[in-house]
Structures are given as structure tokens and as C-alpha cells.
Amino acid sequence: MQHITSRQNVRVKEAAKLRDARQRQKQGRFLIDGGREILRAIERGVDVVEAFICEPLLVDGEARQAAERLRQSSPVVATVTAEVFEKLAFGERATGVLAVAKTPATADLRQAKGLGQVALPAAPLIAVIEGVEKPGNVGAILRSADGAGVDAVVIADPRTDLFNPNTIRASLGTVFDPNVCIASTEETLAWLGGLGVKVYAARPEAELLYTDADYRGGAAIVLGSEAEGLSGAWNGSDVTGIRLPMRGIADSLNVSTTAAVLFYEAQRQRTI
């Protein structure tokens, strides 16, 4: 196992570049920073190609477990000094373990997994997020969807890199779920129409309160970006607008907060 002490090491420099979206696209790789996130990636079959471990920084059980799994499964593992790891780690959190993985085809809209391949139960609950631009919001929505038991999440016409380190961290690794997919808005609408599910679009100006919508059968909850909302593609007669009541001076909530409220209301109805 190689031990790296220089921040100028070629492998370190190439991995550090993956903080940038253009480099992730160019190299076809992305960073996974953190024990929990790495463990979930390995469990979901993500192709890890190399890893960096800083032994003194392995302070929690998940980080140590991830390091051990990487030693067993990754073809190239290096130990590094704390100074080198600082160059690699994303943000201020340094757990002592970082992996570099191949970008799954589902992260590329041109190679998006066919939505017809998504495994769904009868009467599924589906989330669609269209054009959400902040990686942290995308990750938070994925985390809420996982917690609420949403069966599939479709990222429609994405405006951010699905494997941005912020998305991975905010999702706590739930971004690696196989039922998280990328597709165009047109593909998503056609897919939902074929499933025959009710489609509810979150809109501040909608008349129907979110608690009055019926999610007990197959249903899809659609959310748009905070800046622009949903595109006109969701204005059809087969889409019902829903809103959250706003009692203060703000006219809307953060999109990830709205998503959590809607997902858990849907599950409340579906489990009573």
C-alpha cells in the first residue's frame, strides 16, 4: 500500500480536481467523502476505483469500517498524511476516508437509465424534482424521500451535477439508491402517464391544500426550483396543483422543506 506525503502527488492532484463539475465530467469520476457515504456506495455496487485513507483521522466507527471495506474491495488504496487529506477532503469535515468512483451512466442524461426499468410496487409513491439548481437541496430531498419511503425519485432536467460532493453529503449517501434516476421532463411525463398515477405539482398559487390531496393510490409529487418553479410542461389537465398554507410574510418554503412535508403527508395517508 502506497503512503503519500506530498500534496503535489499526481494521484492526489487528479483526485482533488474532482471537486469541479467539469473535471468530474471529463474524468468520468467523482469523489465520495465520508464513512457512511462510502459504505452506502459500496452496498449499492458503485464502482470504486481508488481510495485515500488518513489513519489518524479515522475517529468514528463508520469511517473505520469504510476504510476496512475499501482495503478489501478497492484496487488502489493509499494512506496519506493529514496535510494531504486536507487537500482531498470536501469542506471542513475530515473523517479520514475518501473514495474515487466511476460515474454511473444514470448520472448522464444522454445515457439515462430507462424509466421503464425502475422497479416499483403496486400503487407507488414517486417524487419528481425538476430543475432544482442547488446540490444541497437535491441531496436533502433525496434524504427525505428515503426517510419517508418514497419508491422512486426522478431528477428531471437537472441543473446540477447529481454526484456533486454537496449532493452526496446532504443525501447521506441515499443518492446511490438504484431508484434515483435522471430523465428529461418529457420522458418523465410520458412515464407517469403510462403508470396511471395521480400527479400533484407543488405550486404556491394552487387552490388545493396538500392535506386535501389523495396520495393513497399511485401518486407522484412534483417540485420545481425555488427560482423559477415548475416549467409549463406541468400545466396539463392531468396535473393537479397543491400548496402548503403560508401564515407569515414569506410566500413559500425552501424546496427541500416543502418536499419533506409533502412526502410525510403522503405516507401518513398511505399508512392509516
Side-chain angles (χ1 to χ4, degrees), residues 29-115:
R29 297 181 173 190
F30 67 100
L31 296 174
I32 312 172
D33 187 356
R36 180 182 304 178
E37 291 81 354
I38 289 171
L39 288 171
R40 288 179 174 168
I42 293 172
E43 289 165 0
R44 293 300 189 182
V46 173
D47 188 1
V48 174
V49 294
E50 66 176 332
F52 301 90
I53 298 169
C54 181
E55 298 284 357
L57 296 178
L58 295 174
V59 296
D60 64 65
E62 287 181 322
R64 290 192 293 271
Q65 185 181 354
E68 184 58 32
R69 291 286 299 274
L70 287 168
R71 289 187 182 101
Q72 297 171 2
S73 61
S74 179
V76 182
V77 178
T79 57
V80 299
T81 63
E83 183 183 18
V84 171
F85 196 84
E86 182 183 11
K87 181 172 181 175
L88 292 165
F90 180 78
E92 297 180 356
R93 187 186 70 170
T95 62
V97 59
L98 180 142
V100 176
K102 289 184 179 179
T103 305
T106 52
D108 186 338
L109 191 59
R110 294 166 299 176
Q111 302 177 34
K113 178 171 63 179
L115 291 172

Side-chain angles (χ1 to χ4, degrees), residues 148 211 213 216 262-272:
T211 49
R216 291 172 293 180
L262 296 177
F263 297 162
Y264 276 94
E265 169 60 19
Q267 286 295 22
R268 183 193 69 81
Q269 290 188 16
R270 293 161 68 90
T271 54
I272 59 175

Side-chain angles (χ1 to χ4, degrees), residues 158-192:
R159 294 187 182 180
T160 187
D161 178 357
L162 185 60
F163 292 103
N164 182 297
N166 258 332
T167 302
I168 296 172
R169 179 167 296 177
S171 77
L172 293 184
T174 59
V175 66
F176 302 120
D177 189 285
N179 275 9
V180 175
C181 305
I182 292 176
S184 69
T185 291
E186 290 72 21
E187 290 170 335
T188 305
L189 277 164
W191 180 63
L192 294 175

